[in-house]
Amino acid sequence: MPSTTIASHQDFSHAALNALLRPQDGELAPIDGLRRLRDAGLDQLPLPGHGATLQRWQALAAVAAIDLSLLKLYEGHADALAILAEIDGPGAPAGSSWGVWCAEMPGARVRLQQAADGRYVLDGRKAWCSGASGLSHALLSCWNEEGQACLASVALAQPGVHVTDEGWQAVGMHACASVDVTFSAARAFPVGAPGAYLGRPGFWHGAAGIAAAWYGAACAIASHLHARAQHAAPDAVRLAQLGQIDCALHAVGALLREGAADIDRHPQRDAMGLALRLRLATEDAATLVLHLATRALGAGPLCSDARFARLVADLPVFLRQSHAERDQATLGGIVAGAEDHPWTL
């Protein structure tokens, strides 16, 4: 299986993460796993576009291989820290845990208004707020009185914030507790100028990093087939399936390494096309791995291996962060507008 080991002083090896995240009794909730990673200093990842983007993505892939619901919270927390650094937002208080809630539901906008005393307040309902019941802070997209898209930080332990138990019915990714949150005159602080969240170079760097998480989960699923092939009697069909998976993962791994290097070489360049290419290619590879690995392994691990079954249930839901054909069409438009031939070896 292609390596997802991070090359730094931080130990993101499978063994180290398993030891750190081992529950004392029962299963470890993702929010508790995030706190352990934070307390161990493993949330202090290299910022994207600062020369070590690959190491950042390796960390995301390594956590994704353990638990995608945990990864969802971990990636949101790490993304929030990167956003605050890039937009020169307020520093994160020691011991805080953050989410980034920027999905926009049609017809449901959170409003940012300035009260008579000069304070900013939030009102409205935000969907898909992962980890809301356990996080201390969030960055969320909102709209000011002029109808401009804004970003605001909000402390969640205040009377104006209500975490519901509504909005999430999927079995996959259930543990990340991605529910609706309502705001009623909740104290908030604008982060950056209107439009800064989407306009900054790091927006697409962060979007590309999600592909590394998909890749890590796909590698973890593939590793079960690799182990079976090592220890079971030779089976030509299973080996052919493993060969297909090996080609797909090595190809996408090379693309991710190339993409990370490109971001580090050109941190201020628009990375939209690059991010879409990485996401779409990784989505295809992960979908292929899901299809082939479950066919090759049969019902056994789906029914008896809790971690494998959870990954197989979680990954299809997580992959739907991709906009599929809409993203393909957007990428096609970017390619069509390029003056140079885009596929030179």
Side-chain angles (χ1 to χ4, degrees), residues 240-255:
Q241 291 160 326
L242 183 60
Q244 276 189 273
I245 287 173
D246 176 71
C247 289
L249 290 180
H250 269 99
V252 170
L255 196 60

Side-chain angles (χ1 to χ4, degrees), residues 3-345:
S3 172
T4 58
T5 302
I6 188 169
S8 78
H9 68 282
Q10 297 170 308
D11 191 351
F12 281 92
S13 68
H14 193 74
L17 287 177
N18 269 323
L20 177 66
L21 300 171
R22 184 179 296 120
Q24 296 177 342
D25 183 27
E27 286 195 19
L28 184 70
I31 189 64
D32 293 325
L34 172 62
R35 290 168 183 153
R36 290 191 185 185
L37 290 167
R38 179 201 64 199
D39 292 346
L42 297 182
D43 63 334
Q44 300 301 309
L45 298 180
L47 295 174
H50 283 66
T53 299
L54 178 60
Q55 284 71 30
R56 181 182 182 89
W57 290 0
Q58 286 172 336
L60 297 179
V63 175
I66 300 291
D67 185 336
L68 275 175
S69 286
L70 168 59
L71 179 280
K72 178 67 175 173
L73 303 189
Y74 177 70
E75 187 277 331
H77 175 77
D79 191 34
L81 299 183
I83 292 167
L84 292 172
E86 186 170 7
I87 304 182
D88 294 325
S96 59
S97 51
W98 290 73
V100 177
W101 303 337
C102 291
E104 293 287 331
M105 286 286 287
R109 287 183 170 183
V110 174
R111 300 178 304 279
L112 178 68
Q113 298 175 302
Q114 191 168 20
D117 61 3
R119 298 189 304 168
Y120 286 88
V121 295
L122 293 171
D123 290 280
R125 188 181 189 96
K126 175 64 72 173
W128 299 321
C129 300
S130 297
S133 61
L135 298 174
S136 65
H137 293 76
L139 294 176
L140 71 154
S141 58
C142 50
W143 301 81
N144 66 15
E145 295 168 284
E146 287 73 44
Q148 298 170 307
C150 298
L151 188 70
S153 68
V154 58
L156 301 177
Q158 58 172 298
V161 178
H162 174 59
V163 178
T164 76
D165 58 0
E166 302 166 358
W168 192 260
Q169 299 300 323
V171 174
M173 302 297 291
H174 179 74
C176 69
S178 189
V179 296
D180 291 3
V181 175
T182 61
F183 300 91
S184 179
R187 179 76 184 277
F189 299 90
V191 177
Y197 168 68
L198 294 176
R200 65 198 170 88
F203 175 80
W204 287 109
H205 301 163
I210 294 296
W214 297 343
Y215 175 78
C219 286
I221 291 168
S223 69
H224 287 262
L225 179 55
H226 178 243
R228 174 73 66 86
Q230 282 185 313
H231 299 109
D235 179 288
V237 173
R238 186 180 294 134
L239 290 175
Q241 291 160 326
L242 183 60
Q244 276 189 273
I245 287 173
D246 176 71
C247 289
L249 290 180
H250 269 99
V252 170
L255 196 60
L256 286 166
R257 289 189 291 273
E258 177 187 290
D262 189 76
I263 286 172
D264 286 334
R265 284 194 301 268
H266 309 286
Q268 298 302 312
R269 189 164 67 186
D270 182 4
M272 182 181 185
L274 171 64
L276 291 174
R277 187 178 306 115
L278 294 179
R279 288 166 65 99
L280 289 164
T282 307
E283 179 190 2
D284 285 347
T287 301
L288 180 68
V289 170
L290 277 166
H291 175 69
L292 292 176
T294 53
R295 286 174 68 87
L297 292 168
L302 288 170
C303 300
S304 61
D305 186 323
R307 179 171 286 180
F308 180 82
R310 188 162 53 246
L311 271 172
V312 169
D314 287 348
L315 185 54
V317 178
F318 202 4
L319 286 172
R320 294 284 39 88
Q321 283 193 319
S322 164
H323 299 121
E325 285 79 6
R326 294 184 184 278
D327 282 350
Q328 289 175 337
T330 301
L331 178 59
I334 294 172
V335 173
E339 294 183 4
D340 298 327
H341 190 288
W343 305 300
T344 302
L345 184 62

